[in-house]
Coordinates of all heavy atoms in Angstrom, one line a residue:
M1 N -2.0 -24.9 30.4 CA -2.8 -26.0 29.8 C -2.0 -26.6 28.7 O -1.6 -25.9 27.8 CB -4.2 -25.5 29.4 CG -5.0 -26.4 28.6 SD -6.6 -25.6 28.2 CE -7.2 -26.8 27.1
V2 N -1.9 -27.9 28.6 CA -1.2 -28.6 27.5 C -2.3 -29.1 26.6 O -3.2 -29.8 27.0 CB -0.3 -29.7 28.1 CG1 0.3 -30.5 27.0 CG2 0.7 -29.1 29.0
V3 N -2.1 -28.9 25.3 CA -3.1 -29.4 24.3 C -2.4 -30.6 23.6 O -1.3 -30.5 23.2 CB -3.4 -28.3 23.3 CG1 -4.3 -28.8 22.2 CG2 -3.9 -27.1 24.0
A4 N -3.2 -31.7 23.6 CA -2.7 -32.9 22.9 C -2.4 -32.6 21.5 O -3.0 -31.8 20.8 CB -3.7 -34.0 23.1
M5 N -1.4 -33.4 20.9 CA -1.1 -33.2 19.5 C -2.3 -33.4 18.6 O -2.3 -32.9 17.5 CB 0.1 -34.1 19.1 CG 1.4 -33.7 19.8 SD 1.9 -32.1 19.2 CE 2.9 -32.6 17.8
D6 N -3.2 -34.3 19.0 CA -4.3 -34.7 18.1 C -5.6 -33.9 18.4 O -6.6 -34.2 18.0 CB -4.5 -36.2 18.1 CG -4.9 -36.7 19.5 OD1 -4.7 -36.0 20.5 OD2 -5.3 -37.9 19.6
S7 N -5.4 -32.9 19.2 CA -6.6 -32.1 19.6 C -7.2 -31.4 18.4 O -6.5 -30.9 17.5 CB -6.1 -31.0 20.5 OG -7.1 -30.0 20.7
P8 N -8.6 -31.4 18.3 CA -9.2 -30.7 17.2 C -8.9 -29.3 17.1 O -8.8 -28.7 16.0 CB -10.7 -31.0 17.5 CG -10.8 -32.1 18.5 CD -9.5 -32.1 19.2
I9 N -8.7 -28.6 18.3 CA -8.4 -27.2 18.3 C -7.0 -27.0 17.6 O -6.8 -26.1 16.8 CB -8.4 -26.6 19.7 CG1 -9.9 -26.7 20.2 CG2 -7.9 -25.2 19.8 CD1 -10.0 -26.4 21.7
R10 N -6.0 -27.8 18.0 CA -4.7 -27.7 17.4 C -4.8 -27.9 15.9 O -4.1 -27.2 15.1 CB -3.8 -28.7 18.0 CG -2.3 -28.5 17.6 CD -1.4 -29.4 18.4 NE -0.1 -29.5 17.9 CZ 0.8 -28.5 18.2 NH1 0.6 -27.6 19.0 NH2 2.0 -28.6 17.6
L11 N -5.5 -28.9 15.5 CA -5.7 -29.2 14.0 C -6.3 -28.0 13.3 O -5.8 -27.6 12.2 CB -6.5 -30.5 13.8 CG -6.8 -30.9 12.4 CD1 -5.4 -31.2 11.7 CD2 -7.7 -32.1 12.4
L12 N -7.3 -27.4 13.9 CA -8.0 -26.3 13.3 C -7.0 -25.1 13.2 O -6.9 -24.5 12.2 CB -9.2 -25.8 14.1 CG -9.9 -24.6 13.6 CD1 -10.4 -24.8 12.2 CD2 -11.0 -24.2 14.6
A13 N -6.2 -24.9 14.3 CA -5.2 -23.8 14.2 C -4.2 -24.0 13.2 O -3.8 -23.1 12.4 CB -4.6 -23.6 15.6
L14 N -3.7 -25.2 13.0 CA -2.7 -25.5 12.0 C -3.3 -25.4 10.6 O -2.6 -24.9 9.7 CB -2.1 -27.0 12.2 CG -1.3 -27.1 13.5 CD1 -0.9 -28.6 13.7 CD2 0.0 -26.3 13.3
T15 N -4.5 -25.8 10.5 CA -5.2 -25.7 9.2 C -5.3 -24.2 8.8 O -5.0 -23.8 7.6 CB -6.5 -26.4 9.2 OG1 -6.4 -27.7 9.5 CG2 -7.2 -26.3 7.8
L16 N -5.8 -23.4 9.7 CA -5.9 -22.0 9.4 C -4.6 -21.3 9.1 O -4.5 -20.5 8.3 CB -6.6 -21.3 10.6 CG -8.1 -21.6 10.8 CD1 -8.6 -21.0 12.1 CD2 -8.9 -21.2 9.6
A17 N -3.5 -21.7 9.9 CA -2.2 -21.1 9.7 C -1.7 -21.5 8.3 O -1.1 -20.7 7.6 CB -1.3 -21.6 10.8
L18 N -1.9 -22.8 7.9 CA -1.4 -23.2 6.6 C -2.2 -22.5 5.5 O -1.6 -22.0 4.5 CB -1.6 -24.7 6.4 CG -1.2 -25.3 5.1 CD1 0.3 -25.1 4.8 CD2 -1.5 -26.8 5.0
G19 N -3.5 -22.3 5.6 CA -4.3 -21.6 4.7 C -3.9 -20.2 4.5 O -3.8 -19.6 3.4
A20 N -3.5 -19.5 5.6 CA -3.0 -18.1 5.6 C -1.7 -18.0 4.8 O -1.5 -17.1 4.0 CB -2.9 -17.6 7.0
C21 N -0.8 -19.0 5.1 CA 0.5 -19.0 4.4 C 0.3 -19.2 2.9 O 1.0 -18.6 2.1 CB 1.3 -20.1 4.9 SG 1.9 -19.8 6.6
V22 N -0.6 -20.1 2.5 CA -0.8 -20.4 1.1 C -1.4 -19.2 0.4 O -1.0 -18.8 -0.7 CB -1.8 -21.6 0.9 CG1 -2.2 -21.7 -0.6 CG2 -1.0 -22.9 1.3
A23 N -2.4 -18.5 1.0 CA -3.0 -17.3 0.5 C -2.0 -16.2 0.4 O -1.9 -15.5 -0.6 CB -4.2 -16.9 1.4
F24 N -1.1 -16.0 1.4 CA -0.1 -15.0 1.3 C 0.9 -15.3 0.2 O 1.3 -14.4 -0.5 CB 0.6 -14.9 2.7 CG 1.6 -13.8 2.7 CD1 1.3 -12.5 2.8 CD2 3.0 -14.2 2.7 CE1 2.2 -11.5 2.8 CE2 4.0 -13.2 2.7 CZ 3.6 -11.9 2.8
A25 N 1.3 -16.6 0.1 CA 2.3 -17.0 -0.9 C 1.8 -16.7 -2.3 O 2.5 -16.5 -3.3 CB 2.7 -18.4 -0.7
A26 N 0.4 -16.8 -2.5 CA -0.1 -16.7 -3.9 C 0.0 -15.2 -4.4 O 0.0 -15.0 -5.6 CB -1.6 -17.1 -3.9
A27 N 0.0 -14.3 -3.5 CA 0.1 -12.9 -3.9 C 1.5 -12.5 -4.3 O 2.4 -12.9 -3.7 CB -0.4 -12.0 -2.7
E28 N 1.6 -11.9 -5.4 CA 2.9 -11.5 -6.0 C 3.1 -10.0 -5.6 O 2.2 -9.2 -5.6 CB 2.9 -11.7 -7.5 CG 2.9 -13.1 -7.9 CD 4.2 -13.9 -7.6 OE1 5.2 -13.3 -7.7 OE2 4.0 -15.1 -7.3
P29 N 4.3 -9.6 -5.4 CA 4.6 -8.2 -5.1 C 4.1 -7.3 -6.3 O 4.4 -7.7 -7.5 CB 6.1 -8.1 -5.0 CG 6.5 -9.5 -4.6 CD 5.5 -10.4 -5.3
G30 N 3.4 -6.3 -6.0 CA 3.0 -5.4 -7.1 C 1.6 -5.8 -7.6 O 1.0 -5.0 -8.4
D31 N 1.0 -6.9 -7.2 CA -0.3 -7.3 -7.6 C -1.3 -6.3 -7.0 O -1.2 -6.0 -5.8 CB -0.7 -8.7 -7.2 CG 0.0 -9.8 -8.1 OD1 0.6 -9.4 -9.1 OD2 -0.2 -10.9 -7.7
P32 N -2.3 -5.9 -7.7 CA -3.4 -5.0 -7.1 C -4.2 -5.8 -6.1 O -4.4 -7.0 -6.3 CB -4.2 -4.7 -8.3 CG -3.5 -5.0 -9.5 CD -2.5 -6.0 -9.2
A33 N -4.5 -5.2 -5.0 CA -5.3 -5.9 -4.0 C -6.6 -6.4 -4.5 O -7.2 -7.4 -4.0 CB -5.6 -4.9 -2.8
R34 N -7.2 -5.7 -5.5 CA -8.5 -6.1 -6.1 C -8.5 -7.6 -6.6 O -9.5 -8.2 -6.7 CB -9.0 -5.2 -7.2 CG -8.1 -5.2 -8.4 CD -8.7 -4.1 -9.5 NE -7.9 -4.2 -10.7 CZ -6.8 -3.6 -10.9 NH1 -6.3 -2.8 -10.0 NH2 -6.1 -3.7 -12.1
W35 N -7.3 -8.1 -7.0 CA -7.2 -9.4 -7.5 C -7.4 -10.5 -6.5 O -7.7 -11.6 -6.8 CB -5.8 -9.7 -8.1 CG -5.5 -8.9 -9.4 CD1 -6.4 -8.1 -10.1 CD2 -4.3 -8.9 -10.1 NE1 -5.8 -7.6 -11.2 CE2 -4.5 -8.1 -11.3 CE3 -3.1 -9.6 -10.0 CZ2 -3.5 -7.9 -12.2 CZ3 -2.1 -9.4 -10.9 CH2 -2.3 -8.5 -12.0
Y36 N -7.4 -10.1 -5.2 CA -7.5 -11.1 -4.1 C -8.8 -10.9 -3.4 O -9.0 -11.5 -2.3 CB -6.3 -11.0 -3.2 CG -5.1 -11.3 -4.0 CD1 -4.2 -10.3 -4.5 CD2 -4.8 -12.6 -4.4 CE1 -3.1 -10.6 -5.3 CE2 -3.7 -12.9 -5.2 CZ -2.8 -11.9 -5.6 OH -1.8 -12.2 -6.4
K37 N -9.7 -10.0 -3.8 CA -11.0 -9.9 -3.2 C -12.0 -10.9 -3.8 O -12.0 -11.1 -5.0 CB -11.6 -8.5 -3.5 CG -10.8 -7.4 -2.7 CD -11.4 -6.0 -3.0 CE -10.6 -5.0 -2.4 NZ -11.0 -3.6 -2.8
P38 N -12.8 -11.6 -3.0 CA -13.7 -12.6 -3.5 C -14.8 -11.9 -4.4 O -15.2 -10.8 -4.1 CB -14.3 -13.2 -2.2 CG -14.0 -12.3 -1.2 CD -12.8 -11.4 -1.5
V39 N -15.2 -12.6 -5.4 CA -16.2 -12.2 -6.3 C -17.3 -13.2 -6.2 O -17.1 -14.4 -6.5 CB -15.7 -12.1 -7.7 CG1 -16.8 -11.8 -8.7 CG2 -14.6 -11.1 -7.8
E40 N -18.5 -12.8 -5.7 CA -19.6 -13.7 -5.4 C -20.8 -13.6 -6.3 O -21.6 -14.5 -6.4 CB -19.9 -13.6 -4.0 CG -18.8 -13.9 -3.1 CD -19.0 -13.6 -1.6 OE1 -20.0 -13.0 -1.3 OE2 -18.1 -14.0 -0.8
T41 N -21.0 -12.4 -6.9 CA -22.3 -12.2 -7.7 C -21.9 -11.8 -9.1 O -20.8 -11.4 -9.4 CB -23.1 -11.1 -7.1 OG1 -22.4 -9.8 -7.2 CG2 -23.4 -11.3 -5.6
A42 N -22.9 -11.9 -10.0 CA -22.7 -11.6 -11.4 C -22.3 -10.1 -11.5 O -21.5 -9.7 -12.3 CB -23.9 -11.9 -12.2
Q43 N -23.0 -9.3 -10.6 CA -22.7 -7.8 -10.7 C -21.2 -7.6 -10.3 O -20.6 -6.7 -10.9 CB -23.6 -7.1 -9.7 CG -23.4 -5.5 -9.7 CD -23.8 -4.9 -11.0 OE1 -24.7 -5.3 -11.7 NE2 -23.1 -3.8 -11.4
Q44 N -20.8 -8.3 -9.3 CA -19.4 -8.1 -8.9 C -18.4 -8.6 -9.9 O -17.4 -8.0 -10.2 CB -19.1 -8.9 -7.6 CG -19.7 -8.2 -6.3 CD -19.6 -9.1 -5.1 OE1 -19.6 -10.3 -5.2 NE2 -19.4 -8.5 -4.0
E45 N -18.8 -9.7 -10.6 CA -17.9 -10.2 -11.7 C -17.9 -9.1 -12.8 O -16.8 -8.9 -13.4 CB -18.5 -11.5 -12.3 CG -18.2 -12.7 -11.4 CD -18.7 -13.9 -11.9 OE1 -19.8 -14.0 -12.3 OE2 -17.9 -14.9 -12.0
Y46 N -19.0 -8.5 -13.1 CA -19.1 -7.5 -14.2 C -18.2 -6.3 -13.8 O -17.4 -5.8 -14.6 CB -20.6 -7.1 -14.4 CG -20.7 -5.8 -15.1 CD1 -20.5 -5.7 -16.5 CD2 -20.9 -4.6 -14.5 CE1 -20.6 -4.5 -17.2 CE2 -21.1 -3.4 -15.2 CZ -20.9 -3.4 -16.5 OH -21.0 -2.2 -17.2
E47 N -18.4 -5.8 -12.5 CA -17.6 -4.7 -12.1 C -16.1 -5.0 -12.1 O -15.3 -4.1 -12.5 CB -18.1 -4.3 -10.7 CG -19.5 -3.6 -10.7 CD -20.1 -3.5 -9.3 OE1 -19.4 -3.8 -8.3 OE2 -21.2 -3.0 -9.2
N48 N -15.8 -6.1 -11.7 CA -14.3 -6.6 -11.7 C -13.8 -6.6 -13.1 O -12.7 -6.1 -13.4 CB -14.2 -7.9 -11.0 CG -12.8 -8.3 -10.8 OD1 -12.0 -7.5 -10.3 ND2 -12.4 -9.5 -11.3
A49 N -14.6 -7.2 -14.0 CA -14.1 -7.3 -15.4 C -14.0 -5.9 -16.0 O -13.1 -5.6 -16.8 CB -15.1 -8.1 -16.2
M50 N -14.9 -5.0 -15.7 CA -14.9 -3.6 -16.2 C -13.6 -2.8 -15.7 O -13.0 -2.1 -16.4 CB -16.1 -2.8 -15.9 CG -17.3 -3.2 -16.6 SD -17.1 -3.0 -18.4 CE -17.1 -1.2 -18.5
I51 N -13.3 -3.0 -14.4 CA -12.1 -2.4 -13.8 C -10.8 -3.0 -14.6 O -10.0 -2.2 -15.0 CB -12.0 -2.7 -12.3 CG1 -13.0 -1.9 -11.6 CG2 -10.6 -2.4 -11.8 CD1 -13.2 -2.3 -10.1
E52 N -10.8 -4.3 -14.8 CA -9.7 -4.9 -15.5 C -9.6 -4.4 -16.9 O -8.5 -4.1 -17.5 CB -9.8 -6.4 -15.5 CG -9.6 -7.0 -14.1 CD -8.3 -6.6 -13.4 OE1 -7.2 -6.5 -14.1 OE2 -8.3 -6.4 -12.2
A53 N -10.7 -4.2 -17.6 CA -10.8 -3.7 -19.0 C -10.2 -2.3 -19.0 O -9.4 -2.0 -19.9 CB -12.2 -3.7 -19.5
R54 N -10.6 -1.4 -18.1 CA -10.1 0.0 -18.1 C -8.6 0.0 -17.8 O -7.9 0.7 -18.4 CB -10.9 0.8 -17.0 CG -12.3 1.2 -17.4 CD -12.9 2.2 -16.5 NE -13.1 1.6 -15.2 CZ -14.2 1.0 -14.8 NH1 -15.2 0.8 -15.6 NH2 -14.3 0.6 -13.5
Q55 N -8.2 -0.8 -16.8 CA -6.8 -0.9 -16.5 C -6.0 -1.4 -17.7 O -4.9 -0.8 -18.0 CB -6.5 -1.7 -15.3 CG -7.1 -1.1 -14.0 CD -6.6 0.2 -13.7 OE1 -5.4 0.5 -13.8 NE2 -7.4 1.2 -13.3
A56 N -6.4 -2.4 -18.3 CA -5.7 -2.9 -19.5 C -5.6 -1.9 -20.6 O -4.6 -1.8 -21.3 CB -6.4 -4.2 -20.0
L57 N -6.7 -1.1 -20.8 CA -6.7 -0.1 -21.8 C -5.6 1.0 -21.5 O -4.9 1.4 -22.3 CB -8.0 0.6 -22.0 CG -8.1 1.7 -23.0 CD1 -7.7 1.3 -24.4 CD2 -9.5 2.4 -22.9
L58 N -5.6 1.4 -20.2 CA -4.6 2.4 -19.8 C -3.2 1.9 -20.0 O -2.3 2.7 -20.5 CB -4.9 2.8 -18.3 CG -6.1 3.6 -18.1 CD1 -6.3 3.7 -16.5 CD2 -6.1 4.9 -18.7
V59 N -3.0 0.7 -19.6 CA -1.6 0.1 -19.8 C -1.3 0.0 -21.3 O -0.2 0.4 -21.7 CB -1.5 -1.3 -19.2 CG1 -0.2 -2.0 -19.6 CG2 -1.6 -1.2 -17.7
A60 N -2.2 -0.4 -22.1 CA -1.9 -0.6 -23.6 C -1.7 0.8 -24.2 O -0.7 0.9 -25.0 CB -3.1 -1.2 -24.2
L61 N -2.5 1.8 -23.8 CA -2.2 3.1 -24.4 C -0.9 3.7 -24.0 O -0.2 4.4 -24.7 CB -3.4 4.1 -24.0 CG -4.7 3.8 -24.6 CD1 -5.8 4.7 -24.1 CD2 -4.7 3.8 -26.1
S62 N -0.5 3.4 -22.7 CA 0.8 3.8 -22.3 C 1.9 3.2 -23.0 O 2.9 3.8 -23.4 CB 0.9 3.5 -20.8 OG 2.2 3.8 -20.3
E63 N 1.8 1.9 -23.3 CA 2.7 1.1 -24.1 C 2.8 1.7 -25.5 O 3.9 1.7 -26.1 CB 2.4 -0.4 -24.1 CG 2.7 -1.0 -22.8 CD 4.1 -1.0 -22.4 OE1 5.0 -1.4 -23.2 OE2 4.4 -0.7 -21.2
C64 N 1.7 2.1 -26.1 CA 1.6 2.6 -27.4 C 2.5 3.8 -27.6 O 3.1 4.0 -28.7 CB 0.2 3.0 -27.9 SG -0.8 1.5 -28.2
K65 N 2.6 4.6 -26.6 CA 3.5 5.8 -26.6 C 4.9 5.5 -26.8 O 5.7 6.3 -27.2 CB 3.2 6.7 -25.4 CG 1.8 7.3 -25.4 CD 1.6 8.1 -24.1 CE 0.2 8.6 -24.1 NZ -0.2 9.3 -22.9
K66 N 5.3 4.3 -26.4 CA 6.7 3.9 -26.4 C 7.2 3.5 -27.8 O 8.4 3.4 -28.0 CB 7.0 2.8 -25.4 CG 6.8 3.2 -24.0 CD 7.0 2.0 -23.1 CE 6.7 2.4 -21.6 NZ 6.9 1.2 -20.7
Y67 N 6.3 3.1 -28.6 CA 6.6 2.6 -29.9 C 6.1 3.4 -31.1 O 5.3 4.3 -30.9 CB 6.1 1.1 -30.0 CG 6.5 0.3 -28.9 CD1 5.6 0.0 -27.8 CD2 7.8 -0.2 -28.8 CE1 6.0 -0.8 -26.8 CE2 8.2 -1.0 -27.7 CZ 7.3 -1.3 -26.7 OH 7.7 -2.0 -25.7
G68 N 6.6 3.1 -32.3 CA 6.2 3.8 -33.5 C 4.8 3.3 -33.8 O 4.2 2.4 -33.2
E69 N 4.2 4.0 -34.8 CA 2.9 3.6 -35.3 C 1.8 3.7 -34.2 O 1.1 2.8 -33.9 CB 2.8 2.3 -36.0 CG 3.7 2.2 -37.2 CD 3.5 0.8 -37.9 OE1 2.4 0.3 -37.9 OE2 4.5 0.4 -38.5
Q70 N 1.9 4.8 -33.5 CA 1.1 5.0 -32.3 C -0.4 4.9 -32.6 O -1.2 4.3 -31.9 CB 1.4 6.3 -31.6 CG 0.6 6.5 -30.3 CD 1.1 7.7 -29.5 OE1 2.1 8.3 -29.9 NE2 0.4 8.1 -28.5
K71 N -0.9 5.5 -33.7 CA -2.3 5.5 -34.1 C -2.8 4.1 -34.3 O -3.9 3.7 -33.8 CB -2.5 6.3 -35.3 CG -2.4 7.8 -35.1 CD -2.9 8.6 -36.2 CE -2.7 10.1 -35.9 NZ -3.7 10.9 -36.5
A72 N -2.0 3.2 -35.0 CA -2.5 1.8 -35.2 C -2.5 1.1 -33.9 O -3.4 0.3 -33.6 CB -1.5 1.2 -36.2
C73 N -1.5 1.3 -33.0 CA -1.5 0.7 -31.7 C -2.6 1.1 -30.9 O -3.3 0.2 -30.2 CB -0.1 1.1 -31.0 SG 0.1 0.3 -29.4
E74 N -3.0 2.4 -30.8 CA -4.1 2.8 -30.1 C -5.4 2.3 -30.6 O -6.3 1.9 -29.8 CB -4.1 4.4 -30.0 CG -3.0 5.0 -29.2 CD -3.0 6.5 -29.2 OE1 -3.8 7.1 -29.9 OE2 -2.1 7.1 -28.5
A75 N -5.5 2.2 -31.9 CA -6.7 1.6 -32.5 C -6.9 0.2 -32.1 O -8.0 -0.2 -31.7 CB -6.7 1.7 -34.0
E76 N -5.9 -0.6 -32.1 CA -5.9 -2.0 -31.6 C -6.2 -2.1 -30.1 O -7.1 -2.9 -29.7 CB -4.6 -2.7 -31.9 CG -4.6 -4.1 -31.4 CD -5.8 -5.0 -31.9 OE1 -6.2 -4.8 -33.1 OE2 -6.2 -5.9 -31.2
A77 N -5.7 -1.2 -29.3 CA -5.9 -1.2 -27.9 C -7.4 -0.9 -27.6 O -8.0 -1.5 -26.8 CB -5.1 -0.1 -27.2
R78 N -8.0 0.1 -28.4 CA -9.4 0.4 -28.2 C -10.3 -0.7 -28.7 O -11.4 -1.0 -28.1 CB -9.7 1.7 -28.9 CG -9.0 2.9 -28.2 CD -9.4 4.2 -28.8 NE -8.5 5.3 -28.4 CZ -8.4 5.8 -27.1 NH1 -9.2 5.3 -26.2 NH2 -7.6 6.7 -26.8
E79 N -9.9 -1.4 -29.7 CA -10.7 -2.6 -30.2 C -10.7 -3.7 -29.1 O -11.7 -4.3 -28.9 CB -10.2 -3.1 -31.5 CG -10.6 -2.3 -32.7 CD -12.1 -2.2 -32.9 OE1 -12.8 -3.2 -32.8 OE2 -12.6 -1.1 -33.1
Q80 N -9.5 -3.9 -28.6 CA -9.4 -4.9 -27.5 C -10.3 -4.5 -26.3 O -10.9 -5.4 -25.7 CB -8.0 -5.1 -27.1 CG -7.8 -6.2 -26.0 CD -8.3 -7.5 -26.4 OE1 -8.0 -8.0 -27.4 NE2 -9.1 -8.2 -25.5
H81 N -10.3 -3.2 -26.0 CA -11.1 -2.7 -24.9 C -12.6 -3.0 -25.2 O -13.3 -3.4 -24.3 CB -10.9 -1.2 -24.7 CG -11.7 -0.7 -23.6 ND1 -12.8 0.1 -23.8 CD2 -11.5 -0.8 -22.2 CE1 -13.3 0.4 -22.6 NE2 -12.5 -0.1 -21.6
K82 N -13.0 -2.8 -26.4 CA -14.4 -3.1 -26.8 C -14.7 -4.6 -26.5 O -15.8 -4.9 -26.0 CB -14.7 -2.8 -28.2 CG -14.8 -1.3 -28.5 CD -15.1 -1.0 -30.0 CE -15.1 0.4 -30.3 NZ -15.3 0.7 -31.7
R83 N -13.8 -5.5 -26.9 CA -14.0 -6.9 -26.7 C -14.1 -7.2 -25.2 O -14.9 -8.0 -24.7 CB -12.9 -7.7 -27.4 CG -13.0 -7.7 -28.9 CD -12.1 -8.7 -29.5 NE -10.7 -8.3 -29.4 CZ -10.0 -7.6 -30.2 NH1 -10.5 -7.0 -31.2 NH2 -8.7 -7.3 -29.9
D84 N -13.2 -6.5 -24.4 CA -13.2 -6.7 -23.0 C -14.5 -6.3 -22.3 O -15.0 -6.9 -21.4 CB -12.0 -6.0 -22.3 CG -10.6 -6.6 -22.7 OD1 -10.6 -7.7 -23.2 OD2 -9.6 -5.9 -22.5
V85 N -15.0 -5.2 -22.8 CA -16.3 -4.7 -22.3 C -17.4 -5.6 -22.6 O -18.3 -5.9 -21.8 CB -16.6 -3.3 -22.8 CG1 -18.0 -2.8 -22.5 CG2 -15.6 -2.2 -22.2
E86 N -17.4 -6.2 -23.8 CA -18.5 -7.2 -24.2 C -18.3 -8.4 -23.3 O -19.4 -9.0 -22.8 CB -18.3 -7.6 -25.6 CG -18.8 -6.5 -26.6 CD -20.2 -6.0 -26.3 OE1 -21.1 -6.9 -26.2 OE2 -20.5 -4.8 -26.2
Y87 N -17.1 -8.8 -23.0 CA -16.9 -9.9 -22.1 C -17.5 -9.6 -20.7 O -18.1 -10.4 -20.1 CB -15.4 -10.2 -22.0 CG -15.0 -11.3 -21.0 CD1 -15.3 -12.6 -21.2 CD2 -14.4 -10.9 -19.8 CE1 -15.0 -13.6 -20.2 CE2 -14.1 -11.8 -18.8 CZ -14.4 -13.2 -19.0 OH -14.1 -14.1 -18.1
A88 N -17.2 -8.4 -20.2 CA -17.7 -8.0 -18.9 C -19.2 -8.0 -18.9 O -19.9 -8.5 -17.9 CB -17.2 -6.6 -18.5
K89 N -19.9 -7.6 -20.0 CA -21.3 -7.5 -20.0 C -21.9 -8.9 -20.0 O -23.0 -9.1 -19.6 CB -21.8 -6.8 -21.3 CG -21.6 -5.3 -21.2 CD -22.0 -4.6 -22.5 CE -21.7 -3.1 -22.4 NZ -22.1 -2.4 -23.7
S90 N -21.1 -9.9 -20.5 CA -21.6 -11.3 -20.5 C -21.9 -11.8 -19.1 O -22.7 -12.7 -19.0 CB -20.6 -12.2 -21.2 OG -19.5 -12.4 -20.4
F91 N -21.3 -11.3 -18.1 CA -21.6 -11.7 -16.7 C -23.0 -11.4 -16.3 O -23.6 -12.0 -15.5 CB -20.5 -11.1 -15.8 CG -19.2 -11.7 -15.9 CD1 -18.1 -11.0 -16.3 CD2 -18.9 -13.1 -15.6 CE1 -16.8 -11.5 -16.5 CE2 -17.7 -13.6 -15.7 CZ -16.6 -12.8 -16.2
L92 N -23.5 -10.3 -16.8 CA -24.8 -9.8 -16.5 C -25.9 -10.5 -17.3 O -27.1 -10.6 -16.8 CB -24.9 -8.3 -16.7 CG -24.0 -7.5 -15.8 CD1 -24.2 -6.0 -16.2 CD2 -24.3 -7.7 -14.3
S93 N -25.6 -11.1 -18.4 CA -26.6 -11.7 -19.3 C -26.7 -13.2 -19.2 O -27.6 -13.8 -19.7 CB -26.4 -11.2 -20.7 OG -25.1 -11.7 -21.2
S94 N -25.6 -13.8 -18.6 CA -25.7 -15.3 -18.5 C -25.8 -15.7 -17.0 O -25.2 -15.0 -16.1 CB -24.4 -15.9 -19.1 OG -23.3 -15.4 -18.4
P95 N -26.5 -16.8 -16.8 CA -26.6 -17.3 -15.4 C -25.2 -17.7 -14.9 O -24.4 -18.2 -15.6 CB -27.6 -18.4 -15.5 CG -27.6 -18.9 -16.9 CD -27.2 -17.7 -17.7
R96 N -25.0 -17.5 -13.6 CA -23.8 -17.8 -12.9 C -23.8 -19.3 -12.6 O -24.8 -19.8 -11.9 CB -23.6 -17.0 -11.7 CG -22.3 -17.2 -10.9 CD -22.3 -16.2 -9.8 NE -21.3 -16.6 -8.8 CZ -20.0 -16.4 -8.8 NH1 -19.5 -15.7 -9.9 NH2 -19.2 -16.8 -7.9
S97 N -22.8 -20.0 -12.9 CA -22.7 -21.4 -12.6 C -21.7 -21.6 -11.4 O -20.7 -20.9 -11.4 CB -22.3 -22.3 -13.8 OG -21.0 -21.9 -14.2
G98 N -22.0 -22.5 -10.6 CA -21.0 -22.8 -9.5 C -21.4 -22.1 -8.3 O -20.9 -22.0 -7.3

């Protein structure tokens, strides 16, 4: 069976293929898979933000070990974590737009 160049099926297939290429190209090597999962509800946004807050804290504390003044660095990392947690909580307290 030969499909005409202007066939709606061919157009759909090309559109899907292009979309897959764009989505694949957007992912960077080493990016966590969680960055590419759709977030649709306020609860999911909250959970995602909390995961990111915990991961950011772990990375920051790890970086603090590499430099001097570890206590000050860790204190700042924990303060940033508190701000990140408050940001995460905001998803549950404000209506979702869009």
Side-chain angles (χ1 to χ4, degrees):
M1 175 177 169
V2 175
V3 178
M5 290 297 270
D6 59 349
S7 165
I9 294 171
R10 183 174 174 86
L11 180 60
L12 176 61
L14 289 172
T15 302
L16 291 174
L18 179 61
C21 290
V22 170
F24 181 75
E28 294 289 327
D31 283 353
R34 68 181 183 275
W35 289 359
Y36 300 100
K37 291 181 185 173
V39 175
E40 299 171 352
T41 67
Q43 182 66 33
Q44 288 173 326
E45 285 182 310
Y46 165 76
E47 290 168 2
N48 187 52
M50 288 299 294
I51 290 169
E52 293 303 322
R54 284 189 296 271
Q55 293 301 315
L57 176 62
L58 292 174
V59 168
L61 292 175
S62 175
E63 290 294 313
C64 287
K65 292 178 182 178
K66 295 179 183 177
Y67 305 105
E69 298 186 33
Q70 186 172 348
K71 288 187 182 214
C73 181
E74 288 179 358
E76 176 55 35
R78 292 183 195 290
E79 283 300 314
Q80 180 60 49
H81 181 256
K82 285 180 186 178
R83 291 188 293 271
D84 292 344
V85 168
E86 288 303 313
Y87 172 74
K89 288 178 181 178
S90 73
F91 289 113
L92 297 177
S93 60
S94 64
R96 183 176 161 85
S97 61

